[in-house]
């Protein structure tokens, strides 16, 4: 057990370090902050709304992450496969799941850092008005889980191909599907043909349905369970893909 | 230490490794030879637990690689074929990472990084990013990684690939040195390395073992082995062929003759008979030597497909004529 924790920590540390030795991390952070700010303040009409909340900030996250998270996650396994370091990594005394978890956690931590750097917006609304900080916290938790869900899916697609571009496109498509299943324009369209029960069932698979609950300030066990099982499933699928790739 | 039983690997319809069995004990250095695509790398990937075998088993020490992979991997150091390293790290950072993954920390980690950096002559590039290293230095970095925990079992896929002649020499002596206390297996295309470093060699072809023995035994499989080459004025092939222990006599350019013994191993008797004949006939000897076998000739004769073999035999006789 101790050695598992040490393995996860060592691999995650290496992985996180590799983000910061290249300019990728800094470029990403700047773009992330610019985009979140741009969407919140101009398209989201942050100031014109006249309310002290971060709704206009969080509402764009499912769409922003759709591109930004695969961009961060696409290299996680593709690069190991392309460069051949996977052979090195998996012949060290580690369990494959330790490596999978470590790589996921490192990228997730990086995304968490990016999200944490948006703190000035929290200070701003607190200076301008009197927001519900509990709701804001719930919003952040939801946003982090959303990023984690996309990231786990990207890890999975990244294990499928040695080509990062393929991994990127596959994960965007899968994540888009997870958004659209609960996206209002789509569900409205569906209700014309399908029974409401079916539409609800499809919508229950969507990240947006669960993400919205967090934005209302509610942290519900069912939503947590949804994200946990999505993460668990995607990471499990990653391990199956990696095993099959080796025994091809 | 390394125990392989009936190991097989199939990729689709391609049988890359087809029923290999052999063992490597502590104190042995096994050279693993074979033409391109023979299945050397695939075998090594199965030994190190990267590829699961289609059939058969591998055990390292007392551990079955399939059943207790972690324990088996702890005993092993592995230099993969392409010597891939994390290219965005510095040499020192990379070696420290591997040391940590091997359970070393603190002072022990620092010492082992220093030890392998010295062994592999990496002192001058420790702070350099691996991306920017030359091919040979990259290769040495990956080699250092395999040695960092001073493993009991060492598996190296083409360890001297890309090294300069001095480094090749150093590495061969290092391998020999390590072979005293460890079980070492390495693949190579350079046949001199078999002589220079191995206590035993296996030649595989299309996934099967075609030869297994000490370098001397393998050389004895050569058709030259034990033949006597004589260069003498006035020498007469017919008289040589008439000697009792002599078999075929092959004329070489420049008045030389190569006499093959009638049965292998009778080469000493043959030399004696030739000496007597020369003294009796009064031929003027310029050179007389017993041939050792050539590994490359053995290698070619057992790994070439039959059609190519006869073609090359034709070429050889033409070259002689
Ligand atoms: N992942 C794979 N998928 C399909 N076929 C493979 C795979 N890896 C190896 N092979 C096939 O297995 C056979 C043996 O390959 P291997 O790499 O073991 O040869 P090798 O003896 O190491 O050759 P070389 O001297 O060129 O390094 C080859 O025919 C190769 O095409
Ligand atoms: Mg090979």
């Amino acid at each position: 057990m101790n050695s598992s924790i040490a393995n996860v920590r060592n691999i995650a540390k290496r992985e996180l370090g590799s983000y910061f030795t290249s300019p990728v991390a800094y470029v990403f952070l700047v773009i992330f902050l610019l985009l979140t700010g741009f969407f919140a303040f101009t398209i989201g009409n942050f100031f014109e709304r006249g309310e002290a909340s971060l709704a206009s900030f969080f509402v764009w996250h499912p769409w922003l992450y759709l591109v930004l998270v695969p961009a961060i996650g696409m290299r996680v396994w593709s690069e190991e496969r392309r460069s051949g370091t996977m052979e090195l990594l998996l012949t060290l005394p580690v369990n494959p799941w330790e490596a999978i978890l470590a790589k996921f956690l490192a990228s997730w931590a990086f995304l968490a850092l990016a999200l944490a750097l948006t703190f000035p917006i929290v200070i701003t609304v607190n200076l301008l008005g009197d927001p519900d900080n509990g709701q804001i916290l719930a919003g952040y938790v939801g946003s982090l889980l959303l990023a984690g869900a996309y990231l786990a899916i990207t890890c999975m697609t990244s294990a499928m191909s040695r080509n990062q571009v393929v991994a990127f496109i596959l994960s965007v498509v899968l994540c888009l599907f997870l958004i659209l299943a609960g996206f209002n324009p789509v569900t409205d369209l569906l209700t014309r043909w399908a029974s409401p029960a079916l539409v609800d069932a499809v919508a229950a698979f969507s990240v947006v349905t669960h993400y919205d609950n967090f934005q209302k300030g509610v942290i519900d066990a069912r939503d947590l369970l949804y994200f946990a099982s999505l993460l668990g499933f995607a990471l499990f699928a990653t391990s199956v893909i990696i095993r099959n790739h080796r025994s091809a | 230490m390394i125990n392989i039983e009936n190991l097989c690997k199939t990729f689709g319809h391609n049988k890359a490794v087809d029923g290999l069995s052999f063992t490597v004990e502590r104190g042995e250095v096994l050279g693993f030879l074979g033409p391109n695509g023979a299945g050397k790398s695939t075998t090594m990937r199965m030994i190190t637990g990267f590829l699961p075998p289609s059939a058969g088993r591998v055990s390292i020490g007392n551990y079955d690689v399939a059943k207790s992979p972690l324990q088996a991997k702890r005993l092993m150091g592995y230099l993969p074929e392409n010597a891939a390293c994390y290219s965005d790290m510095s040499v020192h950072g990379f070696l420290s990472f591997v040391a940590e993954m091997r359970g070393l920390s603190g002072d022990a980690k620092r010492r082992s990084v220093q030890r392998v950096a010295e062994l592999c002559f990496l002192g001058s590039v420790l702070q350099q990013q691996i991306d920017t290293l030359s091919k040979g230095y990259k290769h040495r970095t990956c080699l250092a990684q395999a040695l960092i925990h001073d493993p009991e079992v060492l598996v190296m896929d083409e360890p001297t690939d890309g090294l300069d002649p001095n480094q090749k020499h150093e590495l061969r002596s290092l391998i020999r040195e390590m072979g005293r206390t460890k079980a070492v297996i390495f693949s190579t295309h350079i046949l001199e390395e078999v002589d220079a470093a191995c206590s035993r060699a296996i030649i595989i072809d299309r996934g099967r073992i075609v030869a297994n023995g000490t370098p001397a035994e393998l050389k004895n499989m050569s058709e030259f082995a034990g033949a006597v080459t004589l260069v003498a004025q006035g020498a007469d092939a017919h008289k040589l062929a008439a000697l009792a222990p002599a078999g075929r006599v092959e004329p070489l350019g420049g008045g030389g003759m190569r006499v093959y013994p009638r049965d292998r191993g009778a080469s000493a008797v043959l030399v004696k008979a030739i000496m007597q004949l020369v003294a009796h006939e009064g031929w003027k000897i310029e050179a007389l030597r017993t041939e050792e076998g050539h590994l490359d000739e053995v290698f070619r004769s057992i790994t070439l497909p039959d059609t190519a073999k006869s073609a090359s035999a034709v070429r050889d006789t033409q070259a002689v004529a």
Side-chain angles (χ1 to χ4, degrees):
Chain A
M1 201 57 223
N2 275 336
S3 78
S4 287
I5 294 172
N7 283 344
V8 170
R9 195 189 54 221
N10 287 334
I11 299 175
K13 195 173 75 182
R14 197 212 72 76
E15 198 74 7
L16 204 53
S18 82
Y19 279 117
F20 288 98
T21 47
S22 66
V24 173
Y26 305 101
V27 171
F28 178 86
L29 288 176
V30 169
I31 289 180
F32 180 84
L33 294 176
L34 284 179
L35 281 183
T36 45
F38 174 74
F39 274 90
F41 290 112
T42 55
I43 307 186
N45 297 326
F46 179 78
F47 292 114
E48 290 79 355
R49 283 177 176 226
E51 51 182 274
S53 89
L54 287 186
S56 65
F57 168 67
F58 284 123
V59 73
W60 299 107
H61 285 192
W63 298 99
L64 266 176
Y65 288 168
L66 185 60
V67 185
L68 293 180
V69 173
I72 277 299
M74 63 185 181
R75 54 174 279 286
V76 165
W77 285 104
S78 303
E79 182 63 15
E80 295 262 349
R81 281 184 58 172
R82 193 192 55 75
S83 70
T85 45
M86 191 151 138
E87 191 168 346
L88 187 84
L89 181 64
L90 295 182
T91 52
L92 289 172
V94 293
N95 275 313
W97 68 260
E98 291 163 2
I100 289 166
L101 186 66
K103 281 172 161 281
F104 169 76
L105 288 178
S107 303
W108 205 16
F110 180 72
L111 289 170
L113 172 71
L115 193 58
L117 287 178
T118 60
F119 71 92
I121 201 167
V122 182
I123 297 175
T124 312
V125 302
N126 271 292
L127 288 178
L128 292 179
D130 186 19
D132 178 352
N133 279 319
Q135 187 179 1
I136 291 179
L137 185 65
Y140 268 105
V141 170
S143 178
L144 188 59
L145 287 173
L146 180 73
Y150 285 8
L151 183 64
I153 287 169
T154 311
C155 283
M156 179 178 82
T157 59
S158 171
M160 286 179 192
S161 169
R162 62 172 57 217
N163 185 333
Q164 296 193 17
V165 177
V166 173
F168 178 84
I169 292 172
L170 274 179
S171 55
V172 170
V173 169
L174 284 178
C175 295
L176 186 63
F177 175 79
L178 282 182
I179 297 181
L180 291 183
F183 188 52
N184 280 340
V186 177
T187 46
D188 290 349
L189 209 65
L190 277 179
T191 41
R192 293 195 203 158
W193 301 295
S195 69
L198 185 65
V199 174
D200 281 348
V202 171
F205 276 106
S206 166
V207 283
V208 178
T209 319
H210 299 275
Y211 178 70
D212 281 348
N213 290 340
F214 286 97
Q215 302 322 318
K216 290 175 197 140
V218 191
I219 299 187
D220 189 326
R222 275 171 300 178
D223 300 322
L224 289 178
L225 188 67
Y226 167 81
F227 279 111
S229 38
L230 192 58
L231 288 188
F233 171 78
L235 293 183
F236 174 73
T238 309
S239 75
V240 171
I241 290 166
I242 287 177
R243 198 173 56 223
N244 282 351
H245 159 64
R246 284 157 63 202
S247 57
Chain B
M1 279 307 273
I2 308 177
N3 207 331
I4 291 170
E5 282 166 38
N6 191 30
L7 198 63
C8 296
K9 182 76 192 177
T10 348
F11 294 108
H13 294 291
N14 177 8
K15 279 197 161 175
V17 175
D18 190 4
L20 287 192
S21 305
F22 61 87
T23 57
V24 187
E25 294 305 332
R26 199 189 289 274
E28 254 191 314
V29 178
L30 178 74
F32 207 44
L33 312 174
N36 292 137
K40 301 182 294 296
S41 301
T42 308
T43 306
M44 293 194 160
R45 290 188 177 123
M46 290 192 281
I47 294 176
T48 51
F50 179 65
L51 285 178
S54 311
R57 45 177 247 130
V58 178
S59 50
I60 306 293
N62 296 321
Y63 302 107
D64 187 311
V65 173
K67 291 193 194 112
S68 20
L70 293 192
Q71 285 91 330
K73 285 175 188 174
R74 282 203 188 99
L75 294 177
M76 258 184 294
Y78 177 39
L79 171 67
E81 177 163 42
N82 46 17
C85 305
Y86 287 108
S87 54
D88 52 11
M89 300 178 94
S90 70
V91 173
H92 186 270
F94 175 68
L95 293 178
S96 304
F97 165 68
V98 177
E100 280 167 19
M101 294 301 293
R102 293 288 187 182
L104 298 165
S105 61
D107 222 25
K109 177 177 93 177
R110 216 173 37 74
R111 272 201 311 270
S112 49
V113 170
Q114 203 181 348
R115 183 180 59 85
V116 294
E118 270 169 31
L119 269 184
C120 303
F121 305 94
L122 291 168
S124 59
V125 296
L126 272 180
Q127 300 308 328
Q128 203 172 329
Q129 194 173 325
I130 293 177
D131 245 355
T132 63
L133 291 178
S134 73
K135 175 178 170 177
Y137 272 99
K138 266 184 207 159
H139 207 91
R140 277 143 66 177
T141 306
C142 202
L143 177 70
Q145 160 280 131
L147 302 175
I148 202 145
H149 55 305
D150 199 16
E152 293 183 50
V153 173
L154 199 52
V155 180
M156 295 180 285
D157 204 345
E158 301 191 23
T160 53
D161 178 38
L163 298 187
D164 66 47
N166 299 336
Q167 288 295 331
K168 278 196 177 110
H169 180 79
E170 293 286 349
L171 183 55
R172 284 170 201 162
S173 13
L174 182 64
I175 291 176
R176 230 174 354 197
E177 182 66 29
M178 290 189 300
R180 300 220 178 104
T181 51
K182 305 175 196 303
V184 181
I185 171 169
F186 76 95
S187 72
T188 181
H189 288 299
I190 304 174
L191 295 168
E192 298 91 80
E193 272 169 17
V194 176
D195 261 333
C198 298
S199 56
R200 195 154 59 88
I202 285 182
I203 304 181
I204 66 168
D205 188 21
R206 281 163 285 179
R208 293 164 181 276
I209 294 183
V210 289
N212 181 356
T214 62
E217 282 167 358
L218 290 183
K219 279 194 216 154
N220 266 331
M221 293 170 65
S222 163
E223 55 170 328
F224 293 136
V228 178
T229 300
L230 170 74
V231 185
Q233 280 174 20
D236 179 354
H238 295 292
K239 287 186 175 151
L240 281 169
L243 287 171
R248 191 158 63 84
V249 177
E250 183 186 340
L252 304 172
M257 311 267 173
R258 185 176 289 147
V259 189
Y260 293 88
R262 189 171 295 268
D263 45 67
R264 289 189 167 223
S267 138
V269 183
L270 178 63
V271 173
K272 221 177 196 169
I274 293 176
M275 296 283 269
Q276 279 167 0
L277 181 67
V278 167
H280 184 256
E281 300 282 336
W283 297 336
K284 268 218 173 101
I285 291 200
E286 283 161 18
L288 176 72
R289 63 171 182 273
T290 314
E291 299 284 348
E292 279 202 326
H294 300 295
L295 267 180
D296 58 347
E297 190 249 342
V298 177
F299 183 87
R300 274 201 314 162
S301 68
I302 58 185
T303 58
L304 278 181
D306 290 338
T307 48
K309 213 185 284 181
S310 47
S312 111
V314 168
R315 242 193 345 269
D316 284 354
T317 39
Q318 279 169 349
V320 165

